[in-house]
Amino acid sequence: MKRYYLFLTLIPLSIFAMTLPAAEKTIDYQRAQWDPIHFQPAIASATNKQCLSCHQEVLDRKLQTKSPAGVEAASTLAWYQTLTSYKGPQQTFHQRHLTSDLATQVMDMKCTTCHQGSNPREEAIIPPDQNQDQFTLRKSVNPETCLMCHGEFPDYKRMGLTSHWNSSRDIFQNNCLLCHVGVRTTRHQVNFLKAEAIETAGKKDSDVCFGCHGGRQWYRISYPYPRHAWDGMAKATPDWAKDRPTESHPRFKLQTKKVSKK
Ligand code: HEC
Ligand code: HEC
Ligand code: HEC
Ligand code: HEC
Ligand code: HEC
């Protein structure tokens, strides 16, 4: 019986084994696919190194130079590739978030910033408390995570701008910091961003700020950002902000002082 099973798995195993480091070679494909590290609670504390011990291909994979119909990839540009902060030839999605120049400069993303567990059968997130609100069927990543950096530019009226940044940027010298040097200054204190590097880069070029706040917009809505208290903040909370959290999502909080037991 065991031999029969081995025979059946021999072909896929041999392909899979080539990509596995020595220590993992004893695990068969099914066991690896259903490895507890893919599920809560183990995934919450998984490191990039652990995930990459089986999935190095997500960073190493090369793009095709031509589409199946023969169009040269290098001859087509997406609009976001025209932004000043876009550098280099086309790369994969995972490379752009984990290893590109910009990604390593301003972000510090982990696999688990986006992947919180997925069920190979349903391709759905399995929330720790089975909360139906979090059930994103057939998506292995909750799109709300993406919305934080790929949403619409926030409501321009609340910012006191004359119109959307697309048309008012020149009036404000294409400089977010004209206002944001004194407004909503407690920002980016989360474990997947490099807060100081963002300020340094944003000072030189506000397209870096805009890049995550409207410049790479995949969604028609804006993310409802938490509203952290800042020095000089008015005491009264405006109506639009009454339902807003005042702190970042617990999952993203910086663990500086406390040592987490998880
Ligand atoms: C022991 C090896 C191993 C480890 C460690 C591992 N995985 Fe996997 N993972 C697999 C295998 C095997 C599959 C099935 C791949 C397939 O069918 O293409 C899989 C599937 C997945 C899938 C679904 C792919 C799809 O096409 O549906 C995702 C997403 C994923 N893993 C993410 C992760 C993340 C994130 C981590 C770290 C928390 C991780 N994996 C750790 C072996 C592993
Ligand atoms: C910016 C968010 C993000 C980060 C960071 C991220 N992923 Fe993914 N990953 C995704 C999305 C989105 C998909 C596609 C999901 C789908 O098809 O539903 C995906 C797909 C995958 C897949 C299956 C498809 C494929 O490309 O093979 C694997 C495996 C995977 N990720 C592993 C990883 C590992 C390992 C890391 C850390 C080194 C990582 N991911 C980091 C968002 C992310
Ligand atoms: C913390 C902010 C952040 C989050 C969260 C984030 N992205 Fe991005 N994304 C970026 C930045 C910055 C770039 C540009 C990187 C570069 O140009 O090197 C980018 C680039 C992209 C690109 C273009 C990639 C390419 O091939 O050029 C796509 C598509 C994308 N993101 C989709 C997503 C999706 C889907 C998610 C959620 C799973 C997500 N992003 C989450 C910041 C983020
Ligand atoms: C004319 C001044 C001004 C300029 C210029 C400006 N902002 Fe704002 N911004 C504000 C004010 C005021 C608020 C709301 C403060 C509050 O919470 O009461 C705000 C809020 C925000 C928020 C939070 C939105 C939310 O829904 O919680 C983000 C993100 C933001 N700005 C990013 C930017 C970026 C990026 C730029 C440049 C591309 C920019 N701002 C340019 C004044 C400005
Ligand atoms: C790499 C992507 C990225 C870049 C670059 C970036 N932001 Fe953000 N910004 C975010 C994310 C993600 C959040 C939400 C963080 C959280 O949940 O606390 C945020 C939050 C904010 C907020 C809300 C602050 C609050 O009250 O918590 C403001 C205002 C803001 N950003 C302005 C800016 C300005 C100004 C720049 C340029 C100096 C900038 N951002 C550059 C991703 C980015």
Side-chain angles (χ1 to χ4, degrees):
M1 188 65 200
K2 201 162 187 198
R3 247 185 229 169
Y4 180 57
Y5 179 71
L6 262 177
F7 175 72
L8 274 183
T9 53
L10 203 64
I11 299 166
L13 241 182
S14 58
I15 302 169
F16 187 54
M18 287 190 292
T19 61
L20 282 181
E24 306 286 1
K25 272 184 189 152
T26 48
I27 304 177
D28 65 60
Y29 181 80
Q30 261 85 14
R31 266 174 237 281
Q33 183 178 30
W34 290 91
D35 193 295
I37 201 168
H38 288 118
F39 305 93
Q40 296 289 356
I43 196 167
S45 55
T47 63
N48 285 6
K49 202 171 158 218
Q50 283 176 301
C51 304
L52 287 170
S53 74
C54 293
H55 288 293
Q56 183 62 36
E57 82 282 359
V58 302
L59 295 181
D60 291 352
R61 204 179 273 146
K62 298 263 183 334
L63 292 176
Q64 292 188 314
T65 52
K66 275 187 193 159
S67 77
V71 181
E72 295 277 346
S75 69
T76 56
L77 277 191
W79 55 267
Y80 57 79
Q81 295 181 279
T82 63
L83 290 179
T84 52
S85 58
Y86 190 92
K87 284 206 196 86
Q90 292 184 1
Q91 289 179 304
T92 66
F93 168 90
H94 282 100
Q95 288 159 351
R96 283 281 162 198
H97 290 90
L98 293 158
T99 56
S100 78
D101 284 357
L102 184 65
T104 48
Q105 186 192 353
V106 297
M107 308 196 287
D108 184 20
M109 285 197 137
K110 325 284 185 294
C111 309
T112 54
T113 307
C114 299
H115 294 285
Q116 293 176 265
S118 60
N119 182 326
R121 190 166 62 86
E122 308 271 15
E123 285 257 328
I125 287 176
I126 310 167
D129 59 354
Q130 304 297 324
N131 178 352
Q132 291 297 315
D133 296 348
Q134 301 257 327
F135 196 73
T136 53
L137 193 57
R138 300 211 177 284
K139 290 193 175 63
S140 61
V141 165
N142 189 341
E144 238 181 67
T145 312
C146 322
L147 184 62
M148 293 192 294
C149 301
H150 293 293
E152 159 74 302
F153 184 69
D155 187 347
Y156 70 84
K157 290 187 213 101
R158 273 176 218 156
M159 293 207 209
L161 299 169
T162 45
S163 60
H164 189 286
W165 193 246
N166 286 343
S167 51
S168 66
R169 61 200 302 158
D170 290 341
I171 304 174
F172 296 94
Q173 303 156 24
N174 196 16
N175 186 359
C176 312
L177 296 175
L178 274 190
C179 308
H180 282 288
V181 72
V183 172
R184 299 285 289 267
T185 47
T186 312
R187 52 183 175 244
H188 307 136
Q189 303 301 316
V190 283
N191 57 18
F192 60 92
L193 292 178
K194 296 182 179 163
E196 275 175 43
I198 290 180
E199 293 308 315
T200 312
K203 237 177 242 161
K204 284 193 206 126
D205 181 3
S206 276
D207 274 1
V208 174
C209 309
F210 185 55
C212 289
H213 294 292
R216 288 184 193 85
Q217 180 188 350
W218 307 135
Y219 298 87
R220 294 180 68 180
I221 51 168
S222 181
Y223 184 78
Y225 293 100
R227 193 167 179 266
H228 289 90
W230 69 93
D231 283 346
M233 174 189 186
K235 284 228 171 64
T237 306
D239 280 345
W240 64 264
K242 291 221 160 97
D243 297 332
R244 287 292 180 88
T246 54
E247 290 190 44
S248 309
H249 195 282
R251 191 159 87 79
F252 299 136
K253 283 230 178 111
L254 289 171
Q255 302 277 341
T256 40
K257 284 164 216 142
K258 271 187 291 172
V259 180
S260 169
K261 276 199 183 143
K262 264 192 186 168

